[in-house]
Amino acid sequence: MKVFLSVDMEGISGIVDNTYINPDAGVNYQRGRQFMTEDANAVIEAAIEAGATEILVADSHNTMNNILWESLHPKAKLLAGSPRNYSMVHGLDASFDAALFIGYHTRQGVPGVLSHTMSGVIRNLYINGRVVGEFGFNAAYAGVYQVPVVMVSGDDLVAEEAKELIPGIATAVVKKAVSRTAAICLSREEATAELKKQTKLALSNVKQIAPFQTAVPMEMAVQFCHAGQAEMAAIVPGSRYETETGTVYYTAHDQHDLYMTMRAMLNLAAGADFF
């Protein structure tokens, strides 16, 4: 069994605010890296016990150089660094039997721990008219490959978001959101036990979890926070800018086109944030 782990940071056990996730200014960042590595190891250990023979871990936060390589379980391979064409799911293809999204968070506008969607410039992101966050966007990428996303870990609200999109998905809830920067956290021991329990449950049910299905071609709609961002994103060839809603539309012919176009729009839109 071949397993793909996309590991973000905001939903990791014990992490509640930006001090844990900011590589440049976070006073708790080194602790956050340790917590992230420990969550990944708990999932890897359980996956091996459940029969996984090959595991690729994609560090999926910020510059994607957060997981402590020297402390990662020796049976897993680590994909680290950026840029990557497909960002959080780079390396995932049809050869994998399952994907697990670890340390994920809710989409922009939902009061989950450290909620956002890809970047601070996005207000809402849609695929074929359905609003998605990072979980849904990455699940759609996996779905085109027919790879099921069988588990998510994070707070209680990302668990709800995931279950709305993928019925039957296993959810390892390691904290309960109190606000965007506060949570009731399980102890390290309880969080590890929950991650292992849900990983084994998820991998025992791989055949029962359907990949997240989206029709191809896919219409992506990105609603930006202000007009300048949308105007910059609309430079992408083939896009359409709706000024009334601040939304830029693009029709992607496959998951690769979808992901790379989204990244290009974000990079362009970020350039409009100079005032």
Side-chain angles (χ1 to χ4, degrees):
M1 180 164 51
K2 190 174 180 182
V3 176
F4 182 90
L5 268 58
S6 174
V7 186
D8 204 356
M9 204 167 189
E10 289 85 352
I12 290 297
S13 304
I15 287 179
V16 295
D17 60 33
N18 283 314
T19 66
Y20 292 87
I21 65 172
N22 187 326
D24 299 318
V27 296
N28 285 310
Y29 175 64
Q30 293 305 323
R31 293 178 67 209
R33 298 181 73 194
Q34 184 63 42
F35 297 166
M36 186 181 187
T37 306
E38 289 173 356
D39 273 17
N41 281 341
V43 173
I44 294 165
E45 288 171 11
I48 292 169
E49 291 174 13
T53 54
E54 186 174 345
I55 301 172
L56 177 62
V57 177
D59 189 323
S60 298
H61 176 71
N62 198 279
T63 59
M64 304 182 181
N65 275 314
N66 309 280
I67 290 174
L68 300 172
W69 166 77
E70 65 274 21
S71 299
L72 191 67
H73 195 290
K75 294 296 184 181
K77 293 182 175 66
L78 176 64
L79 172 58
S82 62
R84 303 179 205 157
N85 287 346
Y86 314 117
S87 189
M88 301 173 77
V89 285
H90 195 97
L92 177 62
D93 59 32
S95 69
F96 285 88
D97 297 290
L100 293 83
F101 293 170
I102 309 305
Y104 269 53
H105 53 82
T106 51
R107 61 183 176 83
Q108 174 68 27
V110 176
V113 176
L114 294 167
S115 60
H116 65 279
T117 301
M118 299 293 183
S119 164
V121 304
I122 289 182
R123 183 176 299 163
N124 284 303
L125 174 62
Y126 301 85
I127 298 178
N128 293 343
R130 171 183 268 177
V131 65
V132 296
E134 292 175 24
F135 176 87
F137 194 85
N138 291 327
Y141 182 93
V144 179
Y145 276 124
Q146 295 299 305
V147 177
V149 180
V150 298
M151 176 181 151
V152 65
S153 78
D155 68 18
D156 55 320
L157 297 185
V158 77
E160 292 179 12
E161 186 176 312
K163 287 187 284 189
E164 289 177 3
L165 298 177
I166 303 178
I169 188 172
T171 57
V173 176
V174 297
K175 54 195 170 189
K176 183 176 181 180
V178 173
S179 70
R180 190 175 179 274
T181 51
I184 299 171
C185 302
L186 295 182
S187 68
R188 174 74 268 174
E189 292 76 11
E190 288 180 319
T192 297
E194 181 65 9
L195 288 163
K196 289 183 174 182
K197 174 184 174 182
Q198 295 300 327
T199 298
K200 291 179 181 179
L201 176 64
L203 295 180
S204 70
N205 289 332
V206 166
K207 301 300 183 182
Q208 283 69 52
I209 305 298
F212 182 47
Q213 297 295 329
T214 51
V216 178
M218 295 171 276
E219 183 186 66
M220 177 174 63
V222 188
Q223 186 178 33
F224 290 91
C225 293
H226 65 66
Q229 296 164 345
E231 289 161 356
M232 289 298 293
I235 292 173
V236 170
S239 63
R240 174 173 61 87
Y241 175 32
E242 186 178 86
T243 58
E244 295 82 359
T245 61
T247 305
V248 180
Y249 295 85
Y250 180 84
T251 299
H253 297 286
D254 59 33
Q255 69 272 46
H256 307 117
D257 185 19
L258 178 77
Y259 221 115
M260 293 184 72
T261 300
M262 181 274 294
R263 289 184 58 240
M265 285 186 175
L266 290 192
N267 289 336
L268 287 165
D273 274 348
F274 52 83
F275 61 87

